[in-house]
Amino acid sequence: MSTPAPASEASSSRNLSTVWPMLLCLLTGFALSQAYRTIASIMADGLRTDFGLSAQSLGSFAGLFGLSFGVAQLLMGIGMDIYGLRRTVVLTFPLTIVGAALSAASPSYAWLMLGQLLIGVGCSPAFLACTMFIARHFPTDRFAYFSGMALGIGGLGLLFTGTPLAWLVQHMGWRSGFWLLALLSALSWLLIFFKVHEPALASDTLPKPGFMEALKGFGSLLLLPHTWGIVLLGMVSYASFLTVRGLWLSPMLMDRYQFSLIATGNVALATSLISLFVPSLFGKLDPGPRKRRQRIARFALLMGCIFTALALVHHPIASVALLLLMSAMSGYGTLLYADVRSSYPRETTGRALSIFTMAMFLGAALMQSLSGVVAGLAERHGTDIYLAVMLMIATMLGLGALAYRFIKPSPLLHQATH
């Protein structure tokens, strides 16, 4: 991956007011990817009615986005290395439009899954492009802060899959949601095509790597022990929030407490509003390399406790309060991005961010699909499926936090503390 420019180069060669509008255009694609990955919760009831989906099939539907998104991260990272951010996004994002239209018109579950596959691949460069743009053109010492802001702005896509999508689905059916997202995706692509023209850096004059050279660069990072600590926690941190917010929130509130679809949409909207602000707050409160890892591990364990409480508590007000707390705590993921940024030499930052993003979404696919399997087993045995799912999420978070805590961190972090 091309070396991000030093902060001094970025700040002296251009004003932030020049690159902010381009970042905002790129973030429209990320916001839409956030919407696509959380539609299953609101559409679940309509999909179960039209296609007769079981809990396991619903989990597979939700997980396919994360699977295709995550697997494609490696190719997107190599594409950005060789062809640049803008070209990679412009050439890939049209698959999202096609996938959304195909999903809206799908006559069967198989066609719906094909549409979901295309959407996942089409959205796959969205957030990686934003993080690489920030790494290249924003001050290095404020990476956590600006990444947190980007996560918050991108979270606007979550607002759509709250009350607005619930209202649309209730009055016009789940297919209307896909048609609207297809239209918004087309507008986002046009915005990126005409408005994003990444400023050149001195490092851009260096020879571009070939495909195999770029692939070997990714492989070399996987041989570093500390990469696996980051990857194992990365696979469960975002996935835990996404599995509940994007898949089980609405079914749980409707089945356990007989909430209406609009009421569950309101809860989803509230969690989304919180998630807009917490990433930048966590980024602003970044304690630096010396204390960051310990704090990340503690936050992950605390999230595990929240999911355990969601499993055991059977009261509507308490459950909604726990969901809101879960959303507030989800902002600690910003610190994980900062840890990635600090754990590798500058010339490998892009590859490291790509691997971490891939781990996040492969983890989301794994957790969502596994949650469907667990829910299906609980359903067949006549037990509370949400108890089983929440305890599974809590267990995976605990294991990820332990791996992150006890696998030896990067030597660069040790140097930063002395």
Side-chain angles (χ1 to χ4, degrees), residues 11-36:
S11 58
S12 61
S13 61
R14 68 195 58 83
N15 192 286
L16 288 181
S17 62
T18 303
V19 293
W20 254 118
M22 286 185 278
L23 177 61
L24 291 175
C25 291
L26 289 171
L27 284 169
T28 63
F30 173 52
L32 283 164
S33 76
Q34 292 278 64
Y36 280 115

Side-chain angles (χ1 to χ4, degrees), residues 1 72-82 88 128 214 218 350 354:
M1 188 69 72
Q73 286 303 302
L74 182 62
L75 292 177
M76 295 305 110
I78 293 174
M80 290 180 193
D81 197 359
I82 299 173
T88 302
L128 181 59
F218 280 92
S354 181

Side-chain angles (χ1 to χ4, degrees), residues 27-326:
L27 284 169
T28 63
F30 173 52
L32 283 164
S33 76
Q34 292 278 64
Y36 280 115
R37 68 175 57 104
T38 52
I39 56 175
S41 179
I42 298 298
M43 293 185 176
D45 194 54
L47 294 175
R48 286 189 292 194
T49 299
D50 283 9
F51 297 132
L53 302 187
S54 65
Q56 184 171 344
S57 297
L58 192 61
S60 298
F61 165 73
L64 186 57
F65 176 96
L67 179 63
S68 55
F69 188 105
V71 169
Q73 286 303 302
L74 182 62
L75 292 177
M76 295 305 110
I78 293 174
M80 290 180 193
D81 197 359
I82 299 173
Y83 303 111
L85 306 181
R86 177 185 179 276
R87 189 176 299 177
T88 302
V89 174
V90 166
L91 291 176
T92 308
F93 201 63
L95 291 176
T96 302
I97 306 169
V98 174
L102 181 61
S103 297
S106 57
S108 67
Y109 178 64
W111 284 100
L112 184 72
M113 293 292 275
L114 177 59
Q116 191 79 338
L117 177 68
L118 292 175
I119 292 169
V121 175
C123 288
S124 60
F127 187 56
L128 181 59
C130 296
T131 55
M132 279 306 302
F133 192 87
I134 293 169
R136 284 168 59 87
H137 302 293
F138 287 75
T140 302
D141 58 351
R142 302 193 70 194
F143 179 80
Y145 175 68
F146 284 114
S147 295
M149 289 189 67
L151 281 167
I153 295 170
L156 289 170
L158 298 177
L159 298 184
F160 175 77
T161 57
T163 307
L165 182 62
W167 183 92
L168 187 66
V169 169
Q170 182 165 297
H171 289 85
M172 302 181 66
W174 61 268
R175 296 179 188 274
S176 63
F178 275 117
W179 283 122
L180 180 56
L181 283 169
L183 174 61
L184 293 174
S185 298
L187 294 175
S188 173
W189 183 86
L190 290 171
L191 196 61
I192 293 169
F193 182 83
F194 287 108
K195 296 296 184 180
V196 176
H197 299 281
E198 190 182 10
L201 300 175
S203 55
D204 293 337
T205 60
L206 299 175
K208 299 293 183 182
F211 179 84
M212 293 306 300
E213 183 183 351
L215 188 61
K216 289 178 181 177
F218 280 92
S220 65
L221 294 188
L222 294 175
L223 297 177
L224 300 175
H226 66 265
T227 295
W228 288 100
I230 292 171
V231 163
L232 289 172
L233 181 56
M235 288 185 71
V236 297
S237 57
Y238 179 64
S240 60
F241 169 76
L242 185 64
T243 299
V244 175
R245 169 60 183 85
L247 177 56
W248 296 111
L249 182 149
S250 182
M252 181 177 69
L253 295 179
M254 293 174 73
D255 292 346
R256 272 188 172 180
Y257 311 119
Q258 289 71 55
F259 277 35
S260 68
L261 184 60
I262 294 296
T264 65
N266 291 337
V267 176
L269 180 64
T271 63
S272 302
L273 282 170
I274 292 172
S275 70
L276 294 183
F277 302 102
V278 291
S280 59
L281 177 61
F282 275 85
K284 194 171 184 179
L285 299 177
D286 179 16
R290 189 170 67 87
K291 297 182 179 180
R292 185 190 296 133
R293 284 180 59 85
Q294 186 180 55
R295 193 166 294 183
I296 289 171
R298 288 176 178 174
F299 284 142
L301 290 173
L302 180 56
M303 281 286 277
C305 293
I306 294 172
F307 289 111
T308 301
L310 276 170
L312 301 176
V313 172
H314 286 69
H315 190 280
I317 295 178
S319 293
V320 170
L322 286 168
L323 289 168
L324 297 179
L325 180 59
M326 172 201 70

